[in-house]
Amino acid sequence: CLWTLAAIIKETLKDALVPRAGVLKKLLAPLDAVLEGFYNAILLHHFDSHHYTSPYSEATNNLISFIDLLEALLASRIELELPLRCQRILFLKVSYVLNLISSTIPYVIKKKLILLLKKCVLYKSREDAKGGSLFLQTPSLCEDMLALSNAVLQVVSLTWLNQIPLGGKSSYFGSSEAAPGGDSRGGCDQTVLRALSLVVLKALEFKIHNSATEAEIK
């Protein structure tokens, strides 16, 4: 069901002949509360169980399907003038994702979530993209980005970054083993390192631009 819904959203976004905003609203509005409930239930689940030790288990595949759906919902947000709650939930409750990244789930899922966070901090509404301004003009997006920035900076100021592996071994298509003939010592996963750095920097930049006092900025 998750995969099907994500596929429908992606295909709708590709179709230039249909009124995308109308189709997406008709599709997602009745599911708005359901998808938020899914988000809460799935991402608050206890992921340190044995079901998630393998990157090929059914539980892991289900989680990957849900992350794909979150990515599709983020991409679809640009089509609606007033985004639905299910399109905002990733920003407003990003702490669930941050907790998941620092848990013991397989590296392939951590990487997927970090790259999704990168897409969030780079996201711009159609109005903001047209305006070319460095500052977001859309009120809902401004509110969402501030919520995301606050959550990211809160965990970064603790020990969150220290809990995230950057081992090269894990970057061989999600495997925990080095590729045959490869360097068994592995190396730093540059893609994840760059994405994490960008997430932190953009969160800091947005927070500084939206801080009322000098003390807050410091």
Side-chain angles (χ1 to χ4, degrees):
C1 289
L2 293 171
W3 183 91
T4 303
L5 185 55
I8 291 169
I9 294 170
K10 287 174 186 174
E11 287 304 312
T12 304
L13 292 173
K14 285 181 193 172
D15 195 342
L17 301 176
V18 299
R20 289 190 288 253
V23 171
L24 287 168
K25 199 162 187 179
K26 195 173 181 181
L27 173 70
L28 296 175
L31 296 172
D32 207 19
V34 176
L35 289 173
E36 183 173 0
F38 262 42
Y39 185 92
N40 296 340
I42 292 175
L43 298 191
L44 268 181
H45 183 68
H46 184 64
F47 287 102
D48 295 334
S49 72
H50 66 279
H51 297 296
Y52 296 91
T53 51
S54 166
Y56 309 108
S57 69
E58 186 183 354
T60 301
N61 283 331
N62 289 341
L63 187 52
I64 287 172
S65 292
F66 187 64
I67 297 168
D68 287 339
L69 176 59
L70 290 176
E71 198 170 326
L73 288 169
L74 176 66
S76 70
R77 177 176 176 149
I78 200 166
E79 298 296 335
L80 300 184
E81 198 173 325
L82 289 171
L84 296 165
R85 178 81 180 175
C86 65
Q87 294 169 311
R88 302 180 63 190
I89 195 73
L90 188 54
F91 294 84
L92 299 175
K93 294 187 177 178
V94 73
S95 57
Y96 294 13
V97 171
L98 297 172
N99 290 338
L100 195 49
I101 290 170
S102 61
S103 73
T104 59
I105 54 167
Y107 184 80
V108 62
I109 298 179
K110 290 179 190 261
K111 183 168 184 173
K112 206 167 172 57
L113 286 168
I114 289 165
L115 294 177
L116 179 59
L117 280 182
K118 177 187 165 186
K119 286 183 178 177
C120 286
V121 297
L122 293 176
Y123 179 82
K124 280 191 173 183
S125 69
R126 189 163 281 157
E127 293 74 19
D128 289 318
K130 279 179 188 169
S133 169
L134 291 174
F135 307 104
L136 300 176
Q137 307 298 323
T138 315
S140 62
L141 182 55
C142 201
E143 182 189 331
D144 293 357
M145 205 65 86
L146 193 57
L148 184 143
S149 299
N150 284 334
V152 168
L153 294 175
Q154 195 173 356
V155 294
V156 166
S157 67
L158 301 171
T159 57
W160 184 74
L161 284 173
N162 298 339
Q163 299 169 50
I164 300 169
L166 294 172
K169 266 189 172 184
S170 306
S171 61
Y172 292 97
F173 296 98
S175 170
S176 59
E177 298 297 325
D183 183 359
S184 60
R185 291 171 301 171
C188 179
D189 188 334
Q190 296 294 324
T191 304
V192 169
L193 183 60
R194 283 195 299 269
L196 271 175
S197 302
L198 185 65
V199 167
V200 175
L201 285 171
K202 293 298 273 184
L204 197 56
E205 178 190 39
F206 193 80
K207 180 67 177 170
I208 287 170
H209 286 320
N210 290 275
S211 292
T213 64
E214 196 176 330
E216 254 192 317
I217 293 172
K218 283 181 181 177

